[in-house]
Amino acid sequence: MYDPTVARLTYRALLGRRRALILGALPLLLIVISVAVRALTGADDQTAADVLGGFALATMVPIIGVIAGTGAIGPEIDDGSVVYLLSKPLKRPTIIFTKLIVAIAVTMVFSAGPTLVAGLILNGNGQQIAVAYTVAALVSSIAYSALFLLLGTVSRHAVVLGLVYALVWEALFGSLVPGARTLSVQQWSLAVAHKVADGNLVTSEVGLTTATVLLVAVTVLATWYAGQKLRSLTLAGEE
């Protein structure tokens, strides 16, 4: 299910100079903000939770997921170079699974790592806040990568659609409409983080069991459907 050649080509596409600069901008901004906040307010658990929840998990992780998930396959479909990949004797689900693994790895590196560093800067991991939000970033990286890889497979406007979901649905509707929070990767990952953290500074609108089931279901279904769409794309090209 994993092809090293496809993985190497995907890593090269995602970590080219231009995209790497974009991927690194938000983590760098998070670190700068954390240093400034720590210098101005000192170590405060509530402030750490606000920064990590409001910027790292709500903004940085989904945007990085959009860039990595859609960038793993979208550009190849747009410029037609995917035809060369599909002409190889590889199963379509293998291509999708390999690209998913790469997207997950890139998203985790550029989101979970900086989240942990930022948390340690903000409050030295008081009440396990830094670790809790790092776990949330790791968990959400998997689901976001699968969702946005699917978008990259089915739409030429995947980046726009991904940003709409991440910034409008989760950030805007998720904060205003209680029902929308149940259908939020952010809230699912916060349920896992709540289990890790000490105290009640990390909360979620979704229970842990429900969140776990939804995270697994969305990841599996999005990956499966992306494989089916890639298969149909091949057949259309052959016809």
Side-chain angles (χ1 to χ4, degrees), residues 61 65 103-104 107-109 111-112 136-146 185:
V61 180
I104 290 172
T107 305
M108 284 182 172
V109 167
S111 62
L138 290 170
V139 169
S140 59
S141 292
I142 299 172
Y144 281 133
S145 296
V185 173

Side-chain angles (χ1 to χ4, degrees), residues 32 40-41 48 56 69 76 84 90 96-97 99 126 140 158 160 175 177 204 217 225:
V32 171
L40 293 172
T41 66
E76 293 176 291
Y84 297 99
L90 291 171
I96 289 296
F97 183 77
K99 288 182 173 294
S140 59
V160 174
S175 63
V177 184
S204 173
Y225 192 60

Side-chain angles (χ1 to χ4, degrees), residues 54-72:
F55 182 77
L57 194 63
T59 302
M60 182 185 73
V61 180
I63 289 179
I64 291 175
V66 169
I67 297 171
T70 61

Side-chain angles (χ1 to χ4, degrees), residues 30-31 33-35 37-39 42-45 47-49 51-52 56 112-134:
L30 173 63
I31 300 300
I33 290 174
S34 300
V35 171
V37 169
R38 177 61 185 266
D44 181 77
D45 294 344
T47 301
V51 172
L52 295 181
T115 298
L116 178 60
V117 172
L120 294 175
I121 292 171
L122 286 165
N123 77 330
N125 195 36
Q127 296 194 50
Q128 293 292 308
I129 290 175
V131 172
Y133 276 103
T134 299

Side-chain angles (χ1 to χ4, degrees), residues 198-222:
D198 297 331
N200 295 313
L201 288 178
V202 183
T203 60
S204 173
E205 298 292 329
V206 184
L208 179 60
T209 301
T210 301
T212 302
V213 171
L214 289 172
L215 283 166
V216 172
V218 164
T219 301
V220 172
L221 289 175

